Amino acid sequence: MAASHPVLVTAPGGVGRNVLEKLRSQNVPVRVMVRRDDDRAAQLRALGAEVVLGDLTRPETVAAALQGSRSMYFAMPVSPDHLLAATVVASVAREYGKLDALIDMSQMTVSQMTATSVGESHQQRLHWLAEQVLNWSGLPVVHIRPTSFLDNPLFTTLPAQTIRRNNTIVLPFGAGRTSPIAVDDVARVVATVLRDPAPHIGRVYELTGPRTVDMTELADAFSRTLGRPISYVDVPLDQWREEVLSTIGLPAHIEQHIVTMCRLHQQNRYDRISGDVERLTGVPAQTIEEFVAARRDLYLG
């Protein structure tokens, strides 16, 4: 990757920020698109990124941000505008005509979907459609499909509350198995692909943690790491939605997505395992124990 061509990173939170840090640690130039020039933008500049204002749903700002770039990491937070943003990016990037790689942050659920499946969330459907648009565009695309994140509140702030209160993890996952992955591991894969994208063009990478567990096994992992007996308490999905999720005040689109994730966990749709993290980066994905140990104060207070 020529040093004069910055990598364009959108949605510089979570995975995006981690990607930025990893690329800058190797002196790869990074340009970050943000919607507001605020404290977060200042923090990104402090990390060595060039910061530009833009909106993925506005073609003129995407075009301006792309100038001089040869690679792009496309991602955005959970949003009903995801398909619109993907279509704008594909259209502008085709007209720009100078991208060597477009890395798309998708979701593993897409691999189990069809053109007519209806059991997924609105967000998951938007990711499926966005992948179709990007594939049809003819751009040099790489799709990254992580499973659910260990950093998700489902595995961090919500369990922290109940672990502190009564040593339980309370979720509506039933007996379903899952293989959540840390944001940092996903970012390692994205940064690896961005540093040398040519061998990866046209590929789809599915990213999971190193093993699948049911919620009782997940609670056992927490117990071993935190040094106290922690048990899993399964609750009906409707009850959890009313007593927990609805109190957070999330937009309807995000709430529907989270509820669907829980239902799909019950249906064992997240019982997936992949070695792509280790194969691409040379280092295996973090275990649940390693993730929890690094956040001991979060869970125990």
Side-chain angles (χ1 to χ4, degrees), residues 231-254:
S231 59
Y232 171 58
V233 177
D234 186 48
V235 292
L237 180 55
D238 289 342
Q239 176 184 335
W240 183 83
R241 182 177 192 173
E242 179 180 350
E243 295 180 356
V244 178
L245 195 60
S246 65
T247 64
I248 301 175
L250 296 172
H253 178 82
I254 298 178

Side-chain angles (χ1 to χ4, degrees), residues 10 55-59 62 66 72 74-77 79-94 99 102-106 123 125-137 139 141 143:
T10 67
D55 183 331
L56 287 169
T57 67
R58 293 177 56 196
V62 174
L66 272 174
M72 177 180 185
F74 167 66
M76 66 186 304
S79 168
D81 286 335
H82 187 90
L83 179 58
L84 172 59
T87 305
V88 167
V89 166
S91 301
V92 173
R94 271 177 58 90
L99 278 185
L102 193 159
I103 315 304
D104 167 46
M105 179 54 62
S106 187
Q123 181 69 27
R125 171 55 50 184
L126 294 178
H127 275 282
W128 190 92
L129 292 168
E131 283 200 20
Q132 311 312 304
V133 169
L134 292 171
N135 291 340
W136 296 335
S137 72
L139 292 164
V141 176
H143 296 296

